[in-house]
Amino acid sequence: MNSLSLLCHATMKPTCRILNRCRNSAFFGFPQPATWLHGLTKTGNSSSFCVNFEQNCQYHANPFRISGFGGVFDDARKASQVPSWSLGQSGIISRSYSAGVGTASRGVSVIASLASRFRNLSTSIETRVNDNNFEKIYVQGGINVKPLVERIDKDENIVRGEESGIEVGDGKKSESLNEATVVTSEREYSDIEKEAWRLLRDSVVQYCGNPVGTVAANDPGDKQLLNYDQVFIRDFVPSALAFLLKGEGEIVRNFLLHTLQLQSWEKTVDCYSPGQGLMPASFKVRTVPLDGNKTEEVLDPDFGESAIGRVAPVDSGLWWIILLRAYGKITGDYGLQERVDVQTGLKMILNLCLTDGFDMFPSLLVTDGSCMIDRRMGIHGHPLEIQALFYSALRCSREMLAVNDGSKNLVRAINNRLSALSFHIREYYWVDMKKMNEIYRYKTEEYSTEATNKFNIYPDQIPLWLMDWIPEEGGYFIGNLQPAHMDFRFFTLGNLWSIVSSLGTPKQNDAVLNLIEAKWDDLVGHMPLKISYPALEFEEWRIITGSDPKNTPWSYHNGGSWPTLLWQFTLACIKMGRIELAQKAAALAEKRLRSDRWPEYYDTRTGKFIGKQARLYQTWTIAGFLTTKMLLENPEKAALLFWDEDYELLEICVCALSKSGRKKCSRGAAKSQILV
């Protein structure tokens, strides 16, 4: 059985490895060779393998050698042990943070606007990444030849940090330091914030002596850990944002790179392997014994083969892309995005998502339980949450992908999918009083390209609760759309990310917040926010959930209240200029979270009770609260995390049906929605 070994030359630290089996996979476009060579580094009395991204790493294969992971390190910098984030990948020099994850120092954060001196921050179709800044990858015969890495930089002054105004190398600063905006917060933390930071730091997972993530929950009284002691990609996002906003980016960088190495490794369920490019749902650091009373640390990923229900983590790759962009925006370290391995991993996720299948819709077809709602809840098909995250990930990718001969087709596919997906969701997922009246009078069994009721929706599907519930001035995106089926439930995460990513029009985004404000008691109540509304009850609950005892009505995914949604609600409110709503919700959460010991979720219609099976000291509850507080304190930081309307997408008609004699889809309706 073949295995992949990652060899690093470390000088000071003991070495570790990511261990797993690999079959029929490719790396950087090269087919897997018959045999992978194993490298061994010894430090003191321990022998083990290492993946340390701050060192000079190489992938060794026979008969090929690929070196593109690390740059050529300056001996003087090695001797002085100056930390580096850029790894020789880009002309952009990033800031090395002095405040570690384990310290209580507030530190300083460099406003990401500094990076605008070097790159265009627009979201236009042409990406900002310059292909000429990449390291060349040389394939050499034999394994004893020194790695050849040629740096191609247009401006060596930028490489040396002479124009960045950031401390590099020997600690000297350029004369243009005053152009960098450095912010140091002097506000004293409240008691609840101090406790939250302590708990968040206690949840940090170390791998080879470096922070790589946070566990899902850290409840000392929990006797049945299940997988709550693992690092989840989805759950880590609010933790990552909290650290980034505080100026501590090392843990986020490590997380992005280590999860990237887990991406293409094969896991199977009943002898079947998922598509290449799938990101794991979670991973765990395990200590395994070796001969001679020695041990080593191993990263063990879970792609769903051990999960309850064996659900596929479709949203993991989408969250990873979103976090990658957020890391660059907040830290200014765009060099991470430009690394060859990161670009390759990004393309693998996109290729998996954009693969043609048996589907007529531009929305992403997934199975039930493939997102935050990871149990059977009747969301199979085209759930809104996945579509909103998919749209966000595509917009992120369009910014970060390097445009070259190998990626032009992918960039074109992204633009086409963005255009089609935005039109599809805005037109067919949207529900307000006007749309309800249209559906109420739908004619069925229509056949033609000119049909009004394109999905053959039967008016009797409109639930009685919705007719009286939806306000006059509000609206929302429904949870799912399939032939002859509209899931009219309100799913909070999907609607919030439709606002954050501008998947909805400005008018629709504002209407969603109008609805939340009008139905505050239903969607917020005593603890923000409901994950879905209303709950499935009685026979409907038994049929759709399979009588799931954890998803009983108004509990867990079935109408439970999740405090971690607060930071996303805050982001949406800041974007739409409704910050008072976020402040009101944050005040509610602050009253109870600490005394309730930071629960995973709350039960009952109004979120009065701690969830009957909720973990306490849930990390993304803690991190979501901290991220919310920092966003409310510095609303300008939120602009780095959301997207404005992209008017260029409205000009792109991807139908191209005129050649076959069919009518083109009209962008007039979409434009009119924007201009109203």
Side-chain angles (χ1 to χ4, degrees):
M1 189 166 294
N2 298 326
S3 62
L4 175 65
S5 298
L6 308 180
L7 172 65
C8 301
H9 301 293
T11 59
M12 298 294 292
K13 299 178 181 179
T15 55
C16 316
R17 67 170 168 172
I18 303 174
L19 179 65
N20 213 319
R21 292 184 295 274
C22 174
R23 185 187 60 188
N24 297 331
S25 62
F27 191 77
F28 290 167
F30 294 97
Q32 180 186 353
T35 304
W36 289 90
L37 298 181
H38 296 260
L40 186 63
T41 302
K42 296 184 178 180
T43 303
N45 295 324
S46 63
S47 300
S48 57
F49 290 86
C50 171
V51 179
N52 185 343
F53 296 102
E54 300 304 326
Q55 303 293 337
N56 185 20
C57 301
Q58 305 167 37
Y59 284 85
H60 288 284
N62 186 18
F64 301 110
R65 168 148 78 170
I66 306 171
S67 72
F69 225 44
V72 178
F73 281 67
D74 181 34
D75 292 336
R77 194 182 68 185
K78 277 187 178 180
S80 62
Q81 294 296 307
V82 176
S84 169
W85 275 20
S86 181
L87 289 175
Q89 293 295 328
S90 167
I92 307 301
I93 301 298
S94 63
R95 176 175 178 268
S96 297
Y97 291 104
S98 59
V101 174
T103 67
S105 170
R106 286 287 290 177
V108 295
S109 58
V110 179
I111 299 300
S113 60
L114 171 65
S116 64
R117 298 182 59 218
F118 308 124
R119 55 177 70 239
N120 178 6
L121 296 182
S122 72
T123 58
S124 61
I125 294 177
E126 293 297 328
T127 62
R128 305 181 317 269
V129 184
N130 191 328
D131 183 51
N132 291 333
N133 281 339
F134 277 97
E135 295 177 347
K136 289 185 177 179
I137 301 178
Y138 291 88
V139 180
Q140 298 285 340
I143 64 171
N144 293 321
V145 182
K146 293 183 179 180
L148 298 176
V149 182
E150 179 181 341
R151 293 294 308 279
I152 304 177
D153 293 292
K154 290 184 177 180
D155 190 347
E156 294 185 359
N157 291 332
I158 296 179
V159 175
R160 297 192 181 104
E162 293 178 3
E163 293 188 10
S164 66
I166 300 175
E167 186 173 340
V168 295
D170 57 0
K172 295 180 180 179
K173 299 180 181 179
S174 70
E175 296 178 358
S176 60
L177 178 62
N178 56 354
E179 296 182 16
T181 306
V182 181
V183 177
T184 303
S185 177
E186 297 180 355
R187 183 181 67 85
E188 182 67 23
Y189 281 156
S190 63
D191 290 341
I192 186 174
E193 289 174 286
K194 290 178 181 178
E195 178 179 304
W197 274 114
R198 177 181 60 80
L199 293 171
L200 181 59
R201 296 187 190 284
D202 288 345
S203 71
V204 170
V205 174
Q206 299 284 333
Y207 173 62
C208 297
N210 296 312
V212 294
T214 53
V215 294
N218 198 19
D219 182 3
D222 193 356
K223 304 301 181 183
Q224 190 178 12
L225 293 177
L226 295 178
N227 55 355
Y228 281 82
D229 62 343
Q230 299 188 21
V231 180
F232 281 79
I233 290 183
R234 179 194 312 123
D235 292 34
F236 180 67
V237 171
S239 298
L241 293 178
F243 285 124
L244 288 173
L245 291 171
K246 198 174 188 297
E248 302 176 15
E250 178 193 3
I251 186 174
V252 184
R253 180 184 175 87
N254 292 341
F255 172 85
L256 289 167
L257 290 172
H258 280 295
T259 50
L260 179 65
Q261 301 315 307
L262 301 174
Q263 177 187 26
S264 19
W265 293 7
E266 182 178 295
K267 288 283 187 170
T268 61
V269 177
D270 298 332
C271 303
Y272 180 77
S273 302
Q276 190 181 44
L278 184 70
M279 298 294 284
S282 63
F283 66 86
K284 185 174 182 177
V285 178
R286 300 186 185 276
T287 302
V288 297
L290 297 176
D291 295 336
N293 296 324
K294 299 172 184 176
T295 61
E296 66 177 349
E297 289 184 341
V298 173
L299 289 183
D300 183 17
D302 179 11
F303 289 86
E305 77 280 358
S306 300
I308 297 173
R310 301 302 188 264
V311 292
V314 177
D315 63 338
S316 292
L318 307 178
W319 280 118
W320 186 88
I321 293 174
I322 292 169
L323 182 57
L324 177 64
R325 174 188 181 266
Y327 172 83
K329 285 283 188 178
I330 296 176
T331 67
D333 178 20
Y334 291 98
L336 182 66
Q337 301 172 5
E338 299 174 356
R339 287 173 52 131
V340 177
D341 54 329
V342 173
Q343 288 281 313
T344 302
L346 181 61
K347 292 175 184 177
M348 289 174 64
I349 298 173
L350 294 173
N351 286 331
L352 183 63
C353 294
L354 296 172
T355 300
D356 294 331
F358 294 98
D359 197 9
M360 288 295 296
F361 309 146
S363 46
L364 204 57
L365 179 64
V366 298
T367 57
D368 212 346
S370 57
C371 51
M372 181 179 173
I373 297 178
D374 55 4
R375 298 167 78 97
R376 180 179 169 187
M377 274 289 291
I379 60 171
H380 54 278
H382 306 83
L384 176 66
E385 178 182 331
I386 289 293
Q387 313 317 318
L389 292 175
F390 182 38
Y391 185 81
S392 303
L394 290 177
R395 292 200 66 174
C396 290
S397 301
R398 195 173 66 166
E399 294 180 34
M400 297 186 295
L401 269 178
V403 179
N404 50 45
D405 292 339
S407 64
K408 285 183 179 178
N409 289 337
L410 185 57
V411 172
R412 187 179 301 111
I414 289 173
N415 287 315
N416 290 344
R417 194 64 167 264
L418 281 169
S419 177
L421 183 60
S422 63
F423 184 83
H424 184 79
I425 299 296
R426 292 175 178 186
E427 185 72 13
Y428 304 122
Y429 276 64
W430 181 251
V431 167
D432 55 12
M433 284 297 295
K434 179 181 178 182
K435 187 69 173 182
M436 289 281 293
N437 272 284
E438 292 179 9
I439 298 173
Y440 188 72
R441 295 173 56 82
Y442 265 168
K443 295 179 180 179
T444 59
E445 315 305 323
E446 293 182 299
Y447 175 82
S448 76
T449 57
E450 308 298 321
T452 301
N453 186 2
K454 294 180 175 62
F455 304 100
N456 203 33
I457 302 299
Y458 301 106
D460 289 344
Q461 288 184 23
I462 301 176
L464 295 177
W465 65 266
L466 182 58
M467 295 182 178
D468 295 326
W469 188 75
I470 192 166
E472 291 285 344
E473 300 299 323
Y476 67 100
F477 294 100
I478 62 172
N480 211 333
L481 175 66
Q482 298 182 76
H485 174 69
M486 295 182 78
D487 186 346
F488 287 99
R489 285 177 291 174
F490 177 89
F491 288 90
T492 303
L493 183 58
N495 274 277
L496 293 180
W497 272 97
S498 296
I499 297 174
V500 171
S501 65
S502 286
L503 176 56
T505 68
K507 184 178 179 181
Q508 289 171 337
N509 295 339
D510 205 43
V512 171
L513 294 182
N514 287 341
L515 180 137
I516 294 176
E517 184 177 24
K519 299 299 176 181
W520 189 266
D521 291 341
D522 292 332
L523 300 177
V524 180
H526 291 85
M527 177 57 64
L529 288 138
K530 286 286 179 212
I531 191 173
S532 61
Y533 183 90
L536 301 173
E537 298 182 285
F538 310 115
E539 196 65 23
E540 187 179 30
W541 164 75
R542 280 186 281 272
I543 293 172
I544 293 180
T545 73
S547 300
D548 187 346
K550 194 169 185 179
N551 272 330
T552 52
W554 307 107
S555 178
Y556 201 48
H557 297 140
N558 190 14
S561 298
W562 292 72
T564 190
L565 295 174
L566 183 59
W567 73 268
Q568 293 157 100
F569 178 60
T570 301
L571 198 56
C573 289
I574 292 175
K575 177 185 176 181
M576 301 307 298
R578 308 282 290 275
I579 194 171
E580 71 283 352
L581 290 180
Q583 292 170 334
K584 182 180 177 181
L588 280 175
E590 193 164 0
K591 288 180 181 179
R592 296 188 56 186
L593 285 179
R594 186 185 183 191
S595 60
D596 291 344
R597 294 173 292 171
W598 309 93
E600 179 184 13
Y601 62 94
Y602 286 78
D603 284 352
T604 73
R605 282 179 177 268
T606 58
K608 276 189 175 181
F609 299 151
I610 298 173
K612 61 179 180 291
Q613 294 189 41
R615 263 45 183 200
L616 302 180
Y617 301 102
Q618 185 81 11
T619 303
W620 70 350
T621 298
I622 298 166
F625 170 76
L626 289 173
T627 299
T628 297
K629 295 291 287 186
M630 285 188 282
L631 288 175
L632 290 175
E633 186 178 347
N634 300 290
E636 69 280 357
K637 295 286 185 70
L640 303 174
L641 302 174
F642 60 67
W643 294 261
D644 292 322
E645 178 68 49
D646 191 335
Y647 293 95
E648 291 182 11
L649 289 177
L650 302 179
E651 303 294 336
I652 303 173
C653 183
V654 299
C655 293
L657 298 176
S658 58
K659 295 180 181 178
S660 60
R662 297 183 183 181
K663 183 180 179 181
K664 286 186 178 182
C665 73
S666 173
R667 291 293 171 199
K671 290 181 182 178
S672 65
Q673 287 180 312
I674 300 297
L675 299 176
V676 169

